[in-house]
Amino acid sequence: MAVATPFIMRPAYTAQRAFLASPKNLAAMEKVAADAHLSDGALFRVQSGRGTPEEIHQLTQALIDAQPPGKIRTPLDVRELMFDHAIGLDCAGYVQQAYLRAKGRTASQAGFDSITYENLSGLAQRGYTRITALADVRPGISSY
């Protein structure tokens, strides 16, 4: 079944913050991520709202596989499972993934910093142009 990735906010919602604050839950998620052949970095990206579609899919599938038989039956069940385990994309993660897919680049190829150090200063030196008026926005292909 196809299920859309949920939107998440950082800091997380109250239930997600409680889930992420529990050492027991974190250890269980690390095990599920390891079973899905995901690194600690990938788990961090997914739970920070910046995972790739592949990372989100792998972690979600591993969580589904870890559930008792018959517990996950509908797309809503999957979305609730993802929400409860703080899996999703935030605004910046969505835009970043869309940009990378459209350009066929990795985050490092695009010059993106680590998600723990997103620095938006110096964008002009990296080839980005500030557009101050909505009327100046034009469709087309940029140099990036």
Side-chain angles (χ1 to χ4, degrees), residues 97-106 109 144:
Q97 289 303 320
Y99 175 85
L100 294 173
R101 292 295 166 137
K103 297 298 181 179
R105 294 181 174 190
T106 65
Q109 289 170 333
Y144 281 87

Side-chain angles (χ1 to χ4, degrees), residues 7 9 13 27 39-40 43 52 58-59 61 68 80 82 89 91 99 106 112 122 124 126 133 136 143:
F7 174 76
M9 297 278 300
Y13 296 100
S39 67
D40 289 342
L43 175 60
T52 67
Q58 283 178 262
L59 185 59
Q61 186 61 58
E80 286 178 358
M82 294 173 79
L89 286 171
C91 292
Y99 175 85
T106 65
F112 293 163
R126 296 190 305 192
D136 294 336
S143 61

